[in-house]
Amino acid sequence: MSSIFLKNTSKLLTGDALGQVIGIIAIPIITRLYSVEDYGAFSAILAISLILTTLSTLSLHLALLIPKNEVEANKILHLSFGIMIIFCMLLSGILITFKTEIVSYLDISTAEWMVYTIPMFVLFQGCYLISTYWGVRKKNFGLVSVSKVAEGLIDRTVAIAAGFAGYASTLSLVVARLLSNVLAILYLTPTFKKVPNNTDSPCIEVITYKKTFIKYKRYLQYNTPSMLLISAGSQLPVIIIAAYFSAVSAGLYAIANRIVNIPVTALGNAISKTYTQKIAEDIAEGNLPKVQRDTESFFKLLFSFLLVPFSILAVVGESLFTILLGEKWADAGVLASSLSYLAMTTLLVQGFGGIFDVMNKQNIRLVYHACNFIVRTGILVACIFLEVSLSTTILLYAVFGTVMNAIVMGLLFSCVKKRMLLFTAFRDNLIPLVIFHVLIVTVEYYITSLYLSYFFIALISITWLLYIGSLKKVMSLIKTKKATS
């Protein structure tokens, strides 16, 4: 794996990680300042906005990393912004027309104004999404990285300041998020200085834009439905829980889902952008064996190290949330434990999902995500129909979601002729995983002190990480000897 790839990935990871660290530090403060109901109402509106943001560019922003020709990339950039603006205008008209129905469904009659913030969320989040992809294309990894830190810092700072000032409400959370999006976009504006102005006549310009649009119509045909299904699959639980359980239940799920997905947000986006760009270059040069080697080594390394923290969360969720967030969020910890392995597999799918784009297999992704959406939504609807408790509903949702993630990873690696990669990675880590859970059960059975049990869990986890590091070095030496012999 090239040092340039690792360097670029590390830049994005550093920014994303710092942004998430800020979020981790701020969450215990925010959960003590804001009520579960306020956080639930905000999360429901944000979930709707995130789903619609996926539609706003028709996924053309994903194509920004593909063309070698800068002129073509510029046209994709302009098309992405233009489509998004038109979408937001149409969305505003629809929300004004159906405001009453939306307010009633989400049970937010005390804050009807929130409906009108949805187009603003979509506009600013869409602009930021396009800007980050353009920054990666221009190799401004440092700038994109810092923007992530700035976005997280501004969002949390404004929300906390409003809470301490006595304005802890849903409005404060909305303002904090919108302001952070706007300032992050402004920070990325230097990446657009290299965009040349069009010198073609209006007629020729329209024709060239039309040709570009037609060339990348696969992103509309396959990627847009796929990305919509991905976003809806992850955000719909908040909306459904708010509608059929309560705003409080939605708040509990939202905070649990947000915390377990912190590494997904931080690592997944950074890995996806740099990995996709790297393999796109290798495939363009016809170097599939290099893609196979890089994919195998990177995935196995990532799988092994991710298994440790997510396994820890699976066993200490409830007590950890009680300590960090307060007693009123203890139930969120139970949900977080159920969601841990789903979050881990989601991170892996997101990180390596660019394989479908580079290998021109968007149709496979669309079929899979349609099935995935049906399965996940079907589980939620079935649990509601059978009047299953919230904790059991989320556990079943997580189990089926993890299975579906495993299926798509098999499809992804099949595209680069590495069908058994997930199986071999799981097989290599199965014994340490079983030993970890056996030791944790033993610790929890014999040790009654919470903090002492945490000490032993930390000791076991560190030993596991050291074992992984040592094993990787041994395997590397064995491969080196085989190569030289």
Side-chain angles (χ1 to χ4, degrees):
M1 192 176 301
S2 71
S3 59
I4 296 177
F5 169 74
L6 292 175
K7 182 179 178 182
N8 293 338
T9 302
S10 66
K11 284 183 180 180
L12 292 180
L13 287 179
T14 300
D16 283 340
L18 287 174
Q20 297 304 319
V21 167
I22 293 169
I24 293 171
I25 295 171
I27 283 175
I29 304 173
I30 291 174
T31 53
R32 285 172 169 81
L33 291 172
Y34 292 85
S35 69
V36 181
E37 188 173 2
D38 282 339
Y39 196 85
F42 167 72
S43 298
I45 290 296
L46 183 62
I48 294 173
S49 302
L50 290 173
I51 293 173
L52 294 173
T53 300
T54 306
L55 277 174
S56 64
T57 66
L58 297 181
S59 297
L60 273 177
H61 66 279
L62 296 174
L64 286 171
L65 303 178
I66 304 300
K68 287 186 175 181
N69 188 326
E70 287 301 315
V71 174
E72 189 171 282
N74 293 336
K75 294 190 184 305
I76 295 172
L77 177 68
H78 297 152
L79 284 170
S80 298
F81 275 119
I83 291 170
M84 181 192 61
I85 292 170
I86 294 172
F87 179 86
C88 289
M89 293 172 64
L90 294 173
L91 176 63
S92 299
I94 293 171
L95 291 175
I96 291 172
T97 305
F98 297 100
K99 185 194 75 170
T100 304
E101 289 79 4
I102 296 171
V103 169
S104 175
Y105 180 78
L106 296 177
D107 193 20
I108 53 172
S109 56
T110 56
E112 295 184 10
W113 56 268
M114 289 179 63
V115 174
Y116 299 115
T117 65
I118 293 176
M120 298 173 65
F121 272 123
V122 174
L123 178 64
F124 295 138
Q125 287 168 167
C127 285
Y128 183 62
L129 187 64
I130 296 170
S131 300
T132 57
Y133 272 84
W134 185 254
V136 170
R137 176 176 180 81
K138 292 298 181 180
K139 302 188 186 299
N140 290 318
F141 298 101
L143 205 62
V144 174
S145 178
V146 174
S147 76
K148 293 284 185 182
V149 178
E151 183 189 32
L153 183 61
I154 294 165
D155 182 13
R156 277 64 172 194
T157 301
V158 173
I160 291 171
F164 277 117
Y167 297 100
S169 65
T170 309
L171 176 60
S172 297
L173 293 171
V174 169
V175 171
R177 177 55 65 93
L178 290 174
L179 185 62
S180 66
N181 286 153
V182 171
L183 294 179
I185 293 167
L186 292 175
Y187 186 81
L188 287 173
T189 51
T191 62
F192 297 101
K193 289 184 178 179
K194 298 178 182 179
V195 179
N197 295 323
N198 291 316
T199 57
D200 296 330
S201 65
C203 291
I204 295 176
E205 191 175 326
V206 170
I207 293 172
T208 55
Y209 274 111
K210 182 179 179 181
K211 288 181 178 179
T212 303
F213 186 83
I214 293 173
K215 180 177 180 179
Y216 289 92
K217 67 180 180 180
R218 289 179 67 87
Y219 283 85
L220 281 70
Q221 293 174 330
Y222 299 115
N223 276 3
T224 300
S226 293
M227 298 304 291
L228 177 61
L229 290 168
I230 293 171
S231 181
S234 61
Q235 300 300 330
L236 264 182
V238 177
I239 302 170
I240 292 174
I241 290 170
Y244 291 99
F245 284 94
S246 66
V248 172
S249 297
L252 292 171
Y253 173 81
I255 201 70
N257 191 54
R258 178 175 179 179
I259 290 177
V260 299
N261 280 288
I262 283 174
V264 178
T265 305
L267 297 172
N269 289 333
I271 292 169
S272 177
K273 289 172 185 175
T274 50
Y275 173 79
T276 301
Q277 184 189 42
K278 179 66 174 61
I279 65 170
E281 292 173 356
D282 292 336
I283 290 297
E285 295 171 0
N287 198 346
L288 180 60
K290 190 172 187 302
V291 172
Q292 293 174 325
R293 290 194 302 271
D294 288 349
T295 301
E296 181 175 4
S297 60
F298 192 38
F299 178 78
K300 285 187 174 182
L301 178 67
L302 198 60
F303 185 92
S304 298
F305 279 99
L306 287 178
L307 203 55
V308 180
F310 283 104
S311 295
I312 295 171
L313 181 60
V315 296
V316 302
E318 183 177 2
S319 58
L320 185 63
F321 273 53
T322 302
I323 294 170
L324 296 180
L325 309 184
E327 189 66 36
K328 64 182 179 181
W329 296 94
D331 289 340
V334 177
L335 303 183
S337 293
S338 299
L339 293 166
S340 58
Y341 290 121
L342 173 60
M344 173 187 162
T345 53
T346 300
L347 192 160
L348 293 170
V349 170
Q350 185 174 339
F352 293 88
I355 292 174
F356 281 139
D357 294 317
V358 176
M359 304 303 292
N360 241 359
K361 300 292 184 180
Q362 294 93 341
N363 55 332
I364 297 177
R365 177 164 60 190
L366 175 58
V367 172
Y368 162 75
H369 285 304
C371 297
N372 185 41
F373 178 79
I374 292 170
V375 169
R376 292 197 187 193
T377 307
I379 289 296
L380 290 174
V381 172
C383 288
I384 291 170
F385 179 76
L386 296 172
E387 298 183 350
V388 177
S389 67
L390 177 64
S391 59
T392 305
T393 298
I394 299 306
L395 177 61
L396 291 172
Y397 173 82
V399 169
F400 279 88
T402 302
V403 172
M404 295 304 292
N405 280 344
I407 292 172
V408 76
M409 278 189 272
L411 294 173
L412 279 168
F413 298 135
S414 294
C415 293
V416 292
K417 300 180 180 179
K418 283 287 180 181
R419 185 185 300 272
M420 301 301 292
L421 182 54
L422 175 62
F423 173 78
T424 56
F426 181 75
R427 181 198 60 196
D428 294 344
N429 290 276
L430 180 59
I431 294 177
L433 179 63
V434 172
I435 293 173
F436 172 82
H437 280 285
V438 170
L439 290 175
I440 295 303
V441 170
T442 305
V443 167
E444 291 182 337
Y445 182 80
Y446 287 104
I447 299 176
T448 56
S449 170
L450 177 63
Y451 294 102
L452 186 59
S453 66
Y454 270 31
F455 170 77
F456 281 105
I457 290 172
L459 191 63
I460 294 168
S461 303
I462 292 170
T463 304
W464 190 3
L465 285 170
L466 291 174
Y467 166 78
I468 292 171
S470 301
L471 184 62
K472 294 298 176 186
K473 289 180 181 178
V474 171
M475 295 302 294
S476 178
L477 287 173
I478 292 173
K479 288 182 179 179
T480 303
K481 288 182 179 180
K482 285 184 177 179
T484 54
S485 61

